[in-house]
Amino acid sequence: MGDDSKQMNDEGQEQSFVVRTVGDFEQQILDNDAVMREKDALFAKDINHDASWAVFGRVMNWKHANQKVMLTLENGEAELVWFSAEILRVRVNSTVVEQNLYFSYFLQEQVELDAVSLDIRHDEATLFIHVGEYVYHIGREAFTIQCWRGEVLCWQVNGFDIREDKHAVGTRLHLHDDEACYGTGERAFGLNLRGRVLPMWNTDPGGYKRGDDPINTCISFYTGVYDDGCYGVLWDTPVRSLFDLGANDSDVAHLTGETDKISCYFFAGERVEDVLTRYSQITGSMAMPPLWALGYHQSRYSYMTADEVLSVAQTLRDKEIPCDVIYLDIHYLEKNKVFTWNTENFPDLAVLIEKLHAMNMKIVPILDPGIAVEAGYVGHDTGIEAGVFLTYPDGENVAGVVWPGLCYFPDFTDSSTREWWAQQLVSLLDCGVDGFWNDMNEPLIFQVDAPPADLPDYVQHAKEGLGGTHLELHNVYGTLMAQASLKGLERHRPDKRQFTFTRASSAGAQRVASSWTGDNHSTWDDLHMAITTTLQMGMSGLAFTGSDVGGFMGDTTGELLTRWMQAGAYMPFFRNHCAVDAINQEPWSFGEPYESAIRDAITERYRLMPYLYTAFAQHAYYGTPIIRPVFMAEPDNPALRDIDDCFLLGDVMLIAPVLKHGERRRTLYLPDGDWYDFHTHIRYHGGTVVCVDAPLNHIPVFVKSGAVLPLWATQQHMADGAPETTVLRIYTDSGETVIYEDTGEGLAYQDGAYRWVRYQTDEVTDALTLRRTEDGDYTPAYKFVELQLVGSRSQIQRIEVDGVSHFDLTYRDGMTILRVDADFDVVGFYA
Ligand code: MIG
């Protein structure tokens, strides 16, 4: 393949992957195509998507039991269940269906009901269901639901409807005039999705550009934000669906799915954070990742030999560029076949990994789902024997061409298939790999001279014994593959935290994997999109996400790489990765001044680790995104809802990446309140547009006044956890910051070994008080903290720590500095 790809490279980067690789596979694809056309003739259904729609009609009857209300409708039935006052599940179907047909992969296994009581009143036209502070109005003439808290927050126009052929259902929701819409997974658009039609169908476009849609991960959940509040809707089915968020009718969101029944969840809330927390109560949360997963990751397609892997790792160490993880892309495999490796180029995988581990470097290999149709190959033989592959309705295995050539595809919707997959990973795990990278799992198959294709809708899935079609289950394929890989890891090292990430996924995937935003390009606009797509994934419940830093397809430049590394250093998943034919983009590839600027950016991330880790914990415990749209800092300002060229990291930082070639100043809107420049300590008034310096060696970063930032000493990797001393950088003003701490590895946090430390600052004339309180059952190893006070209005002369005065203060870079015991209660700074 190596030579082929070189030659193809000469044809230019505009060509997509798949076209360039077809030479290898063309005949196989054509032969297989003929088979697929035959199956189509037998099994493809002719569906008239233009058939007319009907509503479910009048409420004929209702019953009430505990937290549930059952409605008999003119054209079907509905069931309403309140999981809390703010979370309502509605199920609607045209005929009485078995409840297990609502089995959902999106939900966490145990969804707890808050005990709430329903107080139901009614008049001729409406049922009024009082739950806590909310009143839900159910229209009786035409079944519709409205949610009120004082005023109406969210309502259905037309209730639910069903297409007459019973092959599609839908619901229409009112969109407020000023409403902005977020979520729905990865979208190569701007942040606010109002006015778009968004297909729910995981798709690999073979390299995407702005406007391509859908792409690899679609999540059928959106949040509407408007002046008086917000709400979220989870369309709880992976079936091929469409979210029209005000495109056809500007004040209506029309959600439709190709099924005859629907279950959906409505989440009410005052703030976006509330809606996302409630969403995570239903769909589950991310487990705390190992600290090393928050480090810098170095990848490319592919490091070709064990020696190359070692030399990249060694160069990172020699150049003191912090890094925790290095990657093996498909060239480590024997002829691209998953579960094998190329023993010529990787003669002893276990020894390679031992050497990397000795350098405190982790290693993560790629996994592709396609299993080569080749007798004698372990994946094939064991898979056939265990009967794990997807089939046509006639029982024949479905085949398609991907990297190993003609392949079968495991049916990950079967627990025994996931078991089989986990088992096949043991040999890799025994060599010491530290995590898994799940690729190609939309899933897709190659075509000749065309973008990748999907498996046919009528392909059969086990769906945990319930049975289902690919139309219904395509969108959970990626998540379930990641779940199977996770199972392999958990089995092998049950006491550790796990790291897996995936290209395709779905609602709830945060329970099993993190993700990356697929095959972008090395352009400035893609750097901008990296922010948007990562923000959007955070608004979709899957916040541990990042882009291929530097860009995947095409050649990056020193400046673009530097700016992307600087932005990526503040994003959740921080991995540099590029395509097989792209020029090298390791941190040193472009020499100075880029190399130093990149080293500084990565080093800064490692210094910020305890703060970054807190943002991860907020996601794990509360479903709050790790990086957040700027409007969340000033939710009442409707003008901010489209901003996606800056982002918030955690509660108190704002990042303004440079997104243009040659730019050395950056203009941005700084939200209300005062902010300090993280690099210069200059204080700015927010609530206005500012323009600040953005030299090549850093991008603008702001810290909210009154905040306390924990910082660690520079480290080259996370293997040693927290250093002995932590810095607390205090930004003069009054405010509050919360910091999360635990062991950084291992599962003790699940038994309560963690704590939240609250730092409260109060500024009065000539003095600032810092109060520290902690909540939780964990004591970290560090014994001291170095207090660094930024921005004091007059020279600090004395610092009082729990009643004891200190005059031996250090002054550096405009900061007043003192080392104190880590468990202080109150510190006073006095002029
Ligand atoms: O068809 O494994 O998105 O990150 O380097 C390409 C090779 C297959 C696509 C992934 C990319 C990876 C590449 N893969």
Side-chain angles (χ1 to χ4, degrees), residues 589-749:
S589 300
F590 297 91
E592 295 297 351
Y594 310 109
E595 183 178 322
S596 292
I598 291 170
R599 178 191 295 103
D600 287 352
I602 302 176
T603 304
E604 205 130 275
R605 179 184 180 90
Y606 278 73
R607 295 212 62 204
L608 268 174
M609 199 54 81
Y611 176 73
L612 188 65
Y613 194 59
T614 298
F616 272 71
Q618 290 175 324
H619 183 55
Y621 287 77
Y622 304 114
T624 318
I626 299 167
I627 66 166
R628 308 168 191 170
V630 169
F631 80 83
M632 283 172 72
E634 210 187 310
D636 298 333
N637 185 347
L640 310 188
R641 291 187 194 138
D642 288 351
I643 296 181
D644 65 1
D645 60 356
C646 294
F647 58 90
L648 305 169
L649 167 60
D651 292 336
V652 299
M653 284 187 104
L654 185 145
I655 321 298
V658 171
L659 304 175
K660 289 202 182 90
H661 167 66
E663 200 159 84
R664 298 292 181 268
R665 307 257 304 151
R666 172 71 219 256
T667 304
L668 66 138
Y669 176 82
L670 208 52
D672 264 352
D674 278 11
W675 298 80
Y676 287 89
D677 184 310
F678 181 57
H679 297 105
T680 63
H681 297 170
I682 295 172
R683 183 165 172 160
Y684 293 85
H685 281 305
T688 182
V689 172
V690 297
C691 183
V692 296
D693 282 341
L696 185 71
N697 63 357
H698 69 74
I699 57 171
V701 172
F702 299 88
V703 185
K704 215 161 185 197
S705 67
V708 174
L709 266 195
L711 302 170
W712 282 353
T714 303
Q715 300 187 99
Q716 294 303 306
H717 51 78
M718 283 296 110
D720 301 329
E724 244 165 59
T725 304
T726 287
V727 168
L728 289 182
R729 192 168 285 174
I730 304 140
Y731 292 87
T732 299
D733 202 347
S734 300
E736 198 176 79
T737 314
V738 170
I739 299 302
Y740 173 84
E741 295 175 324
D742 69 14
T743 51
E745 175 53 285
L747 304 179
Y749 77 99

Side-chain angles (χ1 to χ4, degrees), residues 232-294:
V233 183
L234 169 65
W235 186 247
D236 183 19
T237 171
V239 80
R240 183 161 53 223
S241 297
L242 202 64
F243 279 22
D244 172 340
L245 300 177
N248 258 318
D249 185 345
S250 68
D251 54 10
V252 174
H254 190 198
L255 318 183
T256 51
E258 297 181 34
T259 173
D260 62 348
K261 60 190 166 299
I262 188 63
S263 182
C264 45
Y265 289 78
F266 295 92
F267 307 93
E270 269 162 72
R271 302 175 315 151
V272 176
E273 294 90 314
D274 305 331
V275 166
L276 293 172
T277 297
R278 284 164 194 152
Y279 172 76
S280 77
Q281 284 165 7
I282 297 295
T283 61
S285 39
M286 171 187 81
M288 282 304 288
L291 201 44
W292 59 261
L294 279 66

Side-chain angles (χ1 to χ4, degrees), residues 167-186:
H167 282 304
V169 291
T171 184
R172 287 170 210 268
L173 293 150
H174 176 80
L175 294 171
H176 303 73
D177 284 347
D178 63 324
E179 183 169 330
C181 302
Y182 307 100
T184 78
E186 256 165 53

Side-chain angles (χ1 to χ4, degrees), residues 62 119-129 138 140:
W62 80 86
D119 169 15
I120 306 182
R121 303 170 203 171
H122 59 93
D123 64 19
E124 215 90 318
T126 314
L127 295 181
F128 301 95
I129 304 179
I138 313 298
R140 298 176 66 183

Side-chain angles (χ1 to χ4, degrees), residues 17 301 329-330 366 368 403 437 439-440 446 503 516 518-519 548 552 575 577-578:
F17 250 149
Y301 173 15
D329 204 332
I330 51 176
I366 197 168
D368 283 8
W403 291 115
W437 167 17
D439 190 21
M440 302 288 282
F446 294 158
R503 190 167 75 181
W516 96 104
D519 297 345
D548 282 350
F552 182 72
R575 187 182 71 138
H577 181 60
C578 65

